[in-house]
Amino acid sequence: MCGIVGYLGNKKAAPLLVEGLSKLEYRGYDSAGVAILEDGMINVSKCKGRLKNLEERLNEKSYKGSIGIGHTRWATHGEPSDVNSHPHTNSDVTISVVHNGIIENYLKLREWLTGKGYEFLSETDTEVIPNLVDYYYKGDLLEAVMKATSKMEGSYAIGVICKNEPNKLVAVRKDSPLIVGLGEDEYFIASDIPAVLNHTRDVYLLEDKEFVVIDEKGVTLYNEEKEEITKEVYKVTWNADAAEKEGYEDFMLKEIHQQPKAIKDTMTSRINLDSKIALDKINFTKEDLNNIDRIYIVACGTAYHAGVVGKTAIERLAKIPVEVDIASEFRYREPLITEKTLIIVVSQSGETADTLAVLRDGKNKGARVLAVTNVVGSSVSREATDVLYTWAGPEIAVASTKAYVTQLIAMYIIALYFAEVKGTLSNEEILEIKKEMLELPEKVEETLKHKETLQKFASKTYMEKDMFFLGRGLDYAVAMEGSLKLKEISYIHSEAYAGGELKHGPIALIEKGTEVVALLTDENLRDKMVSNIKEVVTRGAKVMGIALEGDTESEKSLDSVIYIPKTLTILTPVISVIPLQLLSYYMAKQKGCDVDKPRNLAKSVTVE
Ligand code: M6R
């Protein structure tokens, strides 16, 4: 996720672009830049780091131009660096582009343009856009942008300026947000409304493939056929703070709802039905994998819970033994690490001190370390042997939600890749799993519809002192995550237990009225789980179940039930965790807790 802005008016563009970007930093903040058209030249200033670095540079330059574009970046293709920052330009700097999204076919386009003599400086997917526009430019910027975008696959919101048409800004979107701000004799484009709210409350909310031309005549909108279209002006009535959360009350709720997209983005270009699994630049040969005698998955908190699912996925699909461990324990337990060990570290932030220590120790002992992280350029990503990024976009709420589901997806991708290389699954089996994975975003979307039921449940139970989460197999892994979510944001004491373990002690805690959440979505263990539920019901517990659609039989032993769509058992955690995230969110809200910033917690734990 990145943020883009653009300005054309009668004021100096640079300060207005920076101001707009400051309202979009929630979308990414690893580098920033602007391009200003002034005295017939495009001037680009861009640098790695937070927006204040860019501001310092701009203070030295004091651009006067009143047309420009700007960008705040959350790296996906290419680490955060000055050269990878936006805006990007063609070689002779006559065209400049800011972009939010992912151009999926950028490698093909880059190759094609290279064949035509174009040169590339950065590792980004975006750099193909100004060059493609250049290729099609014959004196009409809109025409060239239309032709260029017709060749682009993936998602984009772009703003384009051109030296030869110094009073024109062209923009368009597809699957990435873009709005147009309509001020008095000044116009803006932006990824989100807060960027323009200090200047106007009148905006156009663009739809996919609607093209915008801003020039001395004002704003003109076109459809793909280059026919002029009209659009209703949307009057913004809410404040900037609410807008940043896209109408959601909190970042956590917004991030819960972003999960279908985050899952889709993480699978993009890695899971395709007609090609082999791609693990980005990572390469394991069959010999490499046969040489690995064990895998350790090591992480903390929620990332550890994703690792627990990862263990099952890798063992079942790729038949390699996996141990999963908490980083702070692993590093002191004298684990057996050799050149035959593969360590997979999982970390949303890529900065967790214990996880980083495991990575360093593992490398010192000769192990190959594969990092799964959400932050390009983080310490973990820089130091690991191989990196697989989760493309969840910046996660602001302390409680991890979208990062967790994308970590699960990364685990499946790794497991499938290993299975494909080792030949432990047939092509048909791999195809079936891939098909089911591609359906996950839709199934998660459907599961989000249970929010009202969960809200009602929360309003009845939020005063509880304790809550128990039960599950077996993969459901136990998800129960652990559900329990962590509840305790960290609602401060309700909760425990997760493996259903079969209850009778070995924990069942002593169950008494009349004890609230239990039981997961019954691991089909292989469902019947056994029903027996465990009966054990707690007999002792007076009230049980809410998370069951698979069609499993009406389970209702008999439950006080209430949330049904989730069916998928392959191995993939079910991606769906079954959704009601648990919503449940903890609504419990915490009912209690009046600050869900985005729970007490005593930090988003990234960079100390031991
Ligand atoms: O950035 P990391 O994934 O390494 O962070 C690990 C944990 O600190 C993190 O998952 C934590 O448990 C979350 N607050 C859970 O919601």
Side-chain angles (χ1 to χ4, degrees):
M1 205 159 81
C2 301
I4 70 166
V5 289
Y7 177 80
L8 194 159
N10 45 24
K11 300 187 188 122
K12 281 189 199 168
L16 292 169
L17 294 173
V18 170
E19 183 203 311
L21 291 177
S22 72
K23 308 283 183 217
L24 298 179
E25 265 199 305
Y26 76 91
R27 303 180 63 84
Y29 42 75
D30 63 43
S31 37
V34 296
I36 309 284
L37 241 162
E38 174 173 299
D39 302 329
M41 294 237 318
I42 292 180
N43 298 293
V44 177
S45 268
K46 55 184 193 173
C47 53
K48 180 180 160 183
R50 301 293 289 239
L51 193 55
K52 63 175 176 23
N53 297 0
L54 175 70
E55 270 181 282
E56 280 162 19
R57 278 200 191 187
L58 291 175
N59 285 342
E60 290 159 21
K61 312 240 173 180
S62 60
Y63 294 126
K64 291 182 206 55
S66 54
I67 165 170
I69 49 179
H71 191 270
T72 178
R73 181 165 188 248
W74 178 260
T76 55
H77 292 65
E79 60 169 14
S81 66
D82 289 359
V83 70
N84 286 336
S85 311
H86 299 216
H88 287 281
T89 61
N90 58 340
S91 307
D92 50 6
V93 200
T94 55
I95 290 161
S96 185
V97 171
V98 284
H99 167 222
N100 166 38
I102 296 171
I103 306 303
E104 288 166 19
N105 61 337
Y106 82 102
L107 284 175
K108 258 194 217 152
L109 291 172
R110 198 170 158 132
E111 211 179 293
W112 182 73
L113 287 162
T114 306
K116 305 222 169 285
Y118 284 87
E119 283 171 15
F120 292 86
L121 303 173
S122 77
E123 301 159 275
T124 65
D125 52 336
T126 302
E127 204 182 355
V128 297
I129 308 175
N131 288 298
L132 210 52
V133 175
D134 176 281
Y135 178 78
Y136 288 114
Y137 188 73
K138 304 276 178 290
D140 180 345
L141 185 59
L142 173 63
E143 182 80 27
V145 172
M146 283 183 154
K147 286 193 172 141
T149 49
S150 74
K151 301 286 175 221
M152 285 156 39
E153 287 165 20
S155 58
Y156 50 82
I158 56 172
V160 189
I161 53 173
C162 172
K163 180 186 158 182
N164 299 350
E165 295 177 66
N167 278 318
K168 189 178 281 181
L169 198 167
V170 174
V172 62
R173 62 158 278 187
K174 182 187 158 268
D175 295 333
S176 291
L178 189 64
I179 62 111
V180 180
L182 308 162
E184 226 167 86
D185 297 325
E186 59 179 1
Y187 307 96
F188 305 80
I189 58 156
S191 295
D192 201 356
I193 292 171
V196 305
L197 273 190
N198 282 345
H199 305 277
T200 180
R201 291 189 161 261
D202 290 348
V203 300
Y204 286 138
L205 305 173
L206 294 181
E207 301 293 336
D208 278 356
K209 296 286 182 89
E210 287 180 341
F211 290 79
V212 185
V213 174
I214 304 177
D215 57 16
E216 55 282 342
K217 288 187 270 167
V219 176
T220 318
L221 303 176
Y222 297 88
N223 64 15
E224 271 182 282
E225 276 72 50
K226 217 179 170 191
E227 295 156 344
E228 261 188 64
I229 52 169
T230 51
K231 220 175 168 53
E232 221 174 286
V233 174
Y234 175 73
K235 292 223 174 271
V236 184
T237 51
W238 20 271
N239 62 27
D241 183 44
E244 217 173 72
K245 295 174 188 151
E246 287 173 7
Y248 293 104
E249 264 184 64
D250 316 88
F251 280 109
M252 182 180 174
L253 192 60
K254 174 180 160 186
E255 286 161 5
I256 288 174
H257 283 83
Q258 284 178 325
Q259 292 181 113
K261 173 147 188 340
I263 293 168
K264 190 166 168 259
D265 287 349
T266 303
M267 291 191 293
T268 295
S269 77
R270 295 159 174 171
I271 300 285
N272 292 304
L273 296 184
D274 46 12
S275 56
K276 286 192 175 287
I277 317 269
L279 220 58
D280 302 353
K281 293 177 190 153
I282 306 169
N283 182 37
F284 282 86
T285 60
K286 192 168 180 175
E287 203 191 340
D288 290 339
L289 291 178
N290 286 339
N291 247 328
I292 291 172
D293 63 1
R294 92 185 64 190
I295 297 176
Y296 291 117
I297 303 181
V298 190
C300 301
T302 286
Y304 163 75
H305 296 152
V308 176
V309 175
K311 168 185 163 70
T312 305
I314 296 173
E315 287 186 343
R316 276 195 201 163
L317 307 183
K319 314 287 179 218
I320 308 174
V322 182
E323 283 183 44
V324 53
D325 221 322
I326 295 166
S328 55
E329 288 295 309
F330 183 81
R331 60 188 290 202
Y332 297 112
R333 77 165 167 87
E334 296 176 26
L336 301 173
I337 301 174
T338 67
E339 287 85 9
K340 285 174 161 273
T341 310
L342 171 67
I343 301 179
I344 302 178
V345 292
V346 187
S347 173
Q348 185 284 132
S349 61
E351 300 295 346
T352 300
D354 287 314
T355 310
L356 193 55
V358 169
L359 180 160
R360 288 176 179 156
D361 187 42
K363 276 186 81 181
N364 283 340
K365 291 183 174 139
R368 185 165 173 178
V369 181
L370 163 57
V372 173
T373 181
N374 195 37
V375 182
V376 179
S378 57
S379 304
V380 156
S381 77
R382 281 185 275 113
E383 296 187 35
T385 328
D386 306 285
V387 188
L388 184 70
Y389 290 108
T390 49
W391 287 343
E395 194 176 59
I396 311 278
V398 165
S400 188
T401 53
K402 62 176 181 171
Y404 171 72
V405 292
T406 57
Q407 285 161 354
L408 294 181
I409 297 295
M411 293 294 122
Y412 299 137
I413 293 173
I414 293 169
L416 266 185
Y417 173 80
F418 287 175
E420 196 164 64
V421 175
K422 280 190 78 186
T424 48
L425 291 180
S426 67
N427 289 345
E428 293 69 34
E429 286 168 319
I430 291 177
L431 189 66
E432 192 197 357
I433 300 175
K434 287 205 268 190
K435 277 188 185 156
E436 288 287 340
M437 284 179 77
L438 293 171
E439 283 177 17
L440 285 173
E442 213 173 294
K443 291 182 178 172
V444 167
E445 195 77 67
E446 210 179 309
T447 310
L448 287 168
K449 292 185 188 146
H450 289 296
K451 56 186 170 201
E452 271 170 35
T453 320
L454 289 159
Q455 207 166 2
K456 272 190 209 141
F457 179 83
S459 65
K460 286 189 216 137
T461 52
Y462 73 99
M463 292 302 283
E464 292 295 330
K465 290 262 175 299
D466 305 286
M467 203 146 178
F468 294 89
F469 289 79
L470 305 181
R472 301 183 71 131
L474 289 163
D475 280 340
Y476 174 46
V478 178
M480 288 196 279
E481 175 57 9
S483 170
L484 174 63
K485 268 322 62 106
L486 184 72
K487 59 175 82 111
E488 73 176 327
I489 58 167
S490 74
Y491 319 137
I492 295 171
H493 167 251
S494 79
E495 300 286 346
Y497 289 112
E501 187 64 12
L502 277 177
K503 51 187 165 301
H504 299 287
I507 203 160
L509 293 169
I510 304 292
E511 53 189 18
K512 194 168 183 328
T514 305
E515 288 291 344
V516 171
V517 176
L519 291 107
L520 303 103
T521 73
D522 190 327
E523 280 182 306
N524 305 327
L525 293 160
R526 180 215 166 265
D527 294 348
K528 295 197 182 298
M529 192 61 214
V530 170
S531 305
N532 297 141
I533 291 171
K534 285 185 181 148
E535 287 163 13
V536 293
V537 169
T538 314
R539 283 151 184 94
K542 288 194 275 170
V543 185
M544 178 172 79
I546 311 293
L548 295 175
E549 262 165 15
D551 182 9
T552 43
E553 188 57 26
S554 62
E555 274 175 35
K556 290 181 191 155
S557 7
L558 299 166
D559 288 273
S560 56
V561 58
I562 299 282
Y563 288 111
I564 61 164
K566 274 190 171 181
T567 180
L568 297 175
T569 298
I570 192 79
L571 304 179
T572 306
V574 177
I575 307 175
S576 59
V577 75
I578 306 295
L580 305 190
Q581 294 170 340
L582 287 168
L583 175 68
S584 52
Y585 172 82
Y586 287 120
M587 298 282 269
K589 287 300 279 186
Q590 286 283 345
K591 285 189 73 177
C593 302
D594 182 345
V595 292
D596 284 342
K597 295 195 183 87
R599 69 185 182 203
N600 307 339
L601 295 177
K603 183 66 187 159
S604 170
V605 185
T606 54
V607 288
E608 209 188 326

